[in-house]
Amino acid sequence: MRRLLFCVVPLAILLAGCSSSGHDYLETASIKPKTRFQDTDPQDFGAKHPQQNAIHGIDISKWQGDIDWATVKNSGVAFAFIKATEGKDRVDPRFDEYWREARAAGIPHAPYHFYYFCSSADQQADWFISNVPKEAMRLPPVLDVEWNAESKTCRYRPDPQTVRAEMQRFMDRLEAYYGKRPIIYTSVDFHRDNLAGYFQDYHFWVRSVAKHPEVTYSDRRWAFWQYTSTGVIPGIKGPTDINVFAGSTTNWNNWVAAVSKDRNS
């Protein structure tokens, strides 16, 4: 009950005024699409195209290089998920720069952690906490869980029960320390193998770059949708991941106000 009560207010704010008939938080079929950002490899998502969503944001890591944050903000980017840590011993070398400059530009931001199943949840939580100061966290922290077949150091795939137990331990540690319930980022195959039907009281950020999430995540209500990795963002050189928030501008403003508060303060 304690865990559920902690998430009721932000979740209620996010859901307020939104339709419950769709898999996302917003029915958008009646809104005329308007292209906000260019894409070098655009996909046809059908009637529920991400351009119909009002709130767009980016996720970035060191590979984005130098960023003109004022230009990014003026282009219409509403939020930024910024890579912070990986496993138990890696820090993105531009994390500290990026979050400080995003904050200075007035862009709500959150750090994310790429999870390795070759080290324990506590080792990784310790590493994240030691490298991500509380002031770096405007939005809730993100746990990035996906299979990493290209890794040179960790390709271990534990059973689903172990996956979920480790995720829960890691998220509990972060929630206790930062006072914010983590967001779960995942991919289609990892979600299918481990997460379908679980973690219903967490916000999900889902990757789906070819089809709408209601197709690829048929049982999941999502808060954020990563719809492309080939986006063009003014102020950033090269391709950039672009995401949308599921709700309206009002939903977004209310949610940001709610989650920006530290429950532990």
Side-chain angles (χ1 to χ4, degrees):
M1 179 61 72
R2 178 176 178 270
R3 181 190 307 280
L4 182 58
L5 287 175
F6 273 166
C7 70
V8 164
V9 172
L11 186 58
I13 290 173
L14 181 62
L15 289 172
C18 299
S19 169
S20 62
S21 61
H23 290 82
D24 55 351
Y25 292 123
L26 178 67
E27 288 296 326
T28 57
S30 62
I31 303 174
K32 184 177 180 180
K34 176 183 177 182
T35 300
R36 289 171 173 78
F37 300 101
Q38 299 300 312
D39 193 333
T40 60
D41 185 25
Q43 303 297 307
D44 182 4
F45 293 100
K48 292 186 177 181
H49 197 278
Q51 298 299 337
Q52 297 170 327
N53 292 71
I55 303 298
H56 288 236
I58 57 176
D59 60 279
I60 57 172
S61 68
K62 65 180 181 180
W63 303 110
Q64 268 63 55
D66 294 335
I67 295 177
D68 181 341
W69 284 95
T71 300
V72 169
K73 173 69 178 298
N74 290 336
S75 74
V77 168
F79 62 89
F81 292 128
I82 305 171
K83 185 174 183 180
T85 55
E86 183 173 329
K88 64 177 181 178
D89 56 7
R90 295 187 181 185
V91 177
D92 189 290
R94 304 203 73 154
F95 169 66
D96 190 67
E97 168 196 347
Y98 283 168
W99 79 257
R100 292 181 185 278
E101 293 186 352
R103 182 175 68 173
I107 299 176
H109 54 280
Y112 74 85
H113 174 81
F114 188 88
Y115 200 89
Y116 270 20
F117 288 98
C118 295
S119 53
S120 73
D122 281 315
Q123 287 174 316
Q124 295 185 68
D126 288 342
W127 182 247
F128 185 91
I129 290 168
S130 67
N131 286 282
V132 178
K134 290 183 178 180
E135 59 266 28
M137 190 131 356
R138 172 82 183 279
L139 304 178
V142 178
L143 170 58
D144 178 344
V145 280
E146 51 190 299
W147 296 133
N148 189 9
E150 306 302 321
S151 174
K152 297 180 180 179
T153 58
C154 181
R155 300 185 185 182
Y156 174 52
R157 297 190 177 196
D159 62 84
Q161 292 78 13
T162 299
V163 166
R164 293 191 291 268
E166 291 194 16
M167 287 176 59
Q168 190 68 71
R169 175 60 179 171
F170 180 86
M171 293 190 294
D172 285 349
R173 287 282 311 278
L174 266 59
E175 185 171 355
Y177 183 78
Y178 294 103
K180 301 179 191 295
R181 168 152 295 202
I183 296 166
I184 299 171
Y185 169 89
T186 194
S187 58
V188 175
D189 57 342
F190 190 93
H191 183 271
R192 179 195 62 232
D193 294 346
N194 301 284
L195 305 180
Y198 292 88
F199 298 110
Q200 299 289 2
D201 54 346
Y202 284 81
H203 291 324
F204 267 72
W205 168 22
V206 297
R207 173 179 172 83
S208 189
V209 296
K211 298 179 180 179
H212 191 277
E214 72 178 11
V215 177
T216 48
Y217 300 86
S218 59
D219 70 333
R220 177 65 62 189
R221 291 177 67 85
W222 54 273
F224 297 91
W225 168 22
Q226 183 186 77
Y227 69 88
T228 185
S229 60
T230 55
V232 179
I233 301 292
I236 301 178
K237 296 179 181 178
T240 303
D241 295 340
I242 307 180
N243 312 269
V244 293
F245 173 72
S248 67
T249 300
T250 298
N251 298 145
W252 171 253
N253 291 335
N254 289 341
W255 182 74
V256 170
V259 299
S260 293
K261 300 175 183 178
D262 184 346
R263 293 194 308 261
N264 295 336
S265 62

